[in-house]
Amino acid sequence: MDTDPFPTDLITRRTGDGSLTLHSPQLEVFYHSVHGAVQESTHVFIKAGLEFVGKKQVDVLEVGLGTGLNLLLTWVRCLEGKCTVTYTALEPHPLPKEQLEALAHCEDLAWPGLHEPFIERMTSPSSDWQVPLGGLTFRKLATPLQEFEAAAEFDVVYFDAFAPKAQPELWAVDVFRRMLHALRPGGVLVTYCAKGDVRRAMQAAGFTVARIPGPVGKKEMLRAIKPNAPS
Ligand SMILES: C[S@@+](CC[C@H](N)C(=O)[O-])C[C@H]1O[C@@H](n2cnc3c(N)ncnc32)[C@H](O)[C@@H]1O
C-alpha cells in the first residue's frame, strides 16, 4: 500500500538564483532550496557527489527524481565530456508533463536542445533503460525507496527525499542499510540534510559520515561513504 504523502497542491516558485522549483503549502515542502534550486543541486549532488567520486563511468542512483533537475545537471556534465553515467531514478509520484514544461529547467541551464529528450525521458511510462544519449543512459523506476533493493550496483546515491519532517520513514537506519548495500565499496551518498538524527542513522547503518559545507543558505550537508572491505 502506498502511504507516501504526495502533494496535490504544487505551486511553481522562483528561487534565489532565478531558477524555479515547486512548493506544497499543505505539506510544507519545497522540491529545492528557496535560496536557489540550481545552486543547491549543483553544490550537493554534482560537486559533493558526482565530481567527488571522480570516476569516468559513474552509476548513479537518485532517490526522488521530482522535477529532474539533478538528472539534467548530471546530463550536462556528460555532454561536457566529464564522464558517462548510467542513471537510475526512483519516483513513485512522477510529475505531469505540463508541470515539467512550466519549470523550464533546460532553458535555465542554457541547454534548450535537451528539452525534448528530457521531457520524453521524464514522462516515459516505461521503466526500461532509455536509449543512451549524450553520455547518459537513464531509467525511471516507480519503486518507492522503502521497497528498493540492489547489491553493489552504484557509485553514488543522490539522496533527495523530502525532508525528515515530511517523510521520517525515509531517513531511517534500515533504509540507509539498504543504501549501503546498494553502493559499491567506497561509494558515496550525499544529501542536503545535516540533521544529527540523520547522521546517526547513517552511522548506525555502517556509513562513515562527514558534515561538509552546505549550499548557500545552509551551513552544512552530509556526505556518507561506504567503507572499503578490509584487505
Ligand atoms: C525533494 S523532492 C526531489 C527533488 C528532485 N530531485 C528534483 O531535482 O526536482 C522529493 C521527491 O521524492 C519523491 N518521493 C516521495 N516518496 C518517495 C518514496 N517513497 N521513494 C522515492 N521517492 C519518493 C517525491 O515524489 C519527490 O519528487
Side-chain angles (χ1 to χ4, degrees):
M1 194 179 65
D2 182 3
T3 53
D4 293 331
F6 181 64
T8 52
D9 60 340
L10 291 171
I11 300 168
T12 302
R13 292 273 303 265
R14 196 163 294 283
T15 67
D17 63 6
S19 56
L20 296 171
T21 191
L22 296 174
H23 173 219
S24 162
Q26 185 198 346
L27 285 185
E28 296 180 33
V29 291
F30 283 87
Y31 277 58
H32 305 94
S33 160
V34 292
H35 298 283
V38 170
Q39 74 83 22
E40 179 192 46
S41 286
T42 304
H43 180 102
V44 175
F45 300 106
I46 304 302
K47 293 201 178 299
L50 184 71
E51 292 182 3
F52 177 80
V53 163
K55 290 175 70 175
K56 282 306 274 179
Q57 161 57 40
V58 192
D59 291 301
V60 173
L61 171 67
E62 174 166 34
V63 176
L65 174 66
T67 72
L69 183 55
N70 296 333
L71 165 67
L72 266 177
L73 287 166
T74 304
W75 205 347
V76 167
R77 293 307 183 276
C78 295
L79 288 160
E80 290 170 346
K82 301 211 168 98
C83 51
T84 56
V85 169
T86 60
Y87 198 107
T88 299
L90 305 185
E91 185 51 81
H93 308 291
L95 291 167
K97 184 174 177 189
E98 306 69 53
Q99 208 137 32
L100 296 170
E101 304 247 357
L103 288 163
H105 281 333
C106 295
E107 284 68 25
D108 269 346
L109 299 181
W111 281 88
L114 275 182
H115 181 80
E116 212 175 295
F118 170 66
I119 296 290
E120 204 180 293
R121 279 158 182 74
M122 290 291 290
T123 56
S124 167
S126 169
S127 59
D128 294 340
W129 290 107
Q130 304 287 298
V131 177
L133 184 69
L136 182 117
T137 312
F138 174 73
R139 69 173 170 167
K140 171 168 67 85
L141 306 178
T143 317
L145 175 60
Q146 302 91 312
E147 293 167 24
F148 182 72
E149 305 277 353
E153 284 176 34
F154 300 100
D155 301 298
V156 57
V157 175
Y158 298 168
F159 201 89
D160 202 7
F162 286 135
K165 201 171 106 188
Q167 277 188 294
E169 69 282 7
L170 299 190
W171 301 83
V173 178
D174 65 308
V175 170
F176 289 124
R177 214 171 270 136
R178 273 185 297 104
M179 294 294 94
L180 188 86
H181 195 60
L183 282 165
R184 300 194 171 105
V188 169
L189 179 151
V190 274
T191 183
Y192 62 87
C193 182
K195 280 176 76 89
D197 286 353
V198 170
R199 181 167 47 86
R200 285 185 284 278
M202 291 172 173
Q203 285 167 333
F207 280 105
T208 302
V209 189
R211 280 181 290 207
I212 60 174
V216 173
K218 231 166 169 265
K219 196 165 157 233
E220 294 178 327
M221 57 167 278
L222 297 178
R223 179 162 57 212
I225 300 183
K226 176 171 178 165
N228 283 304
S231 48

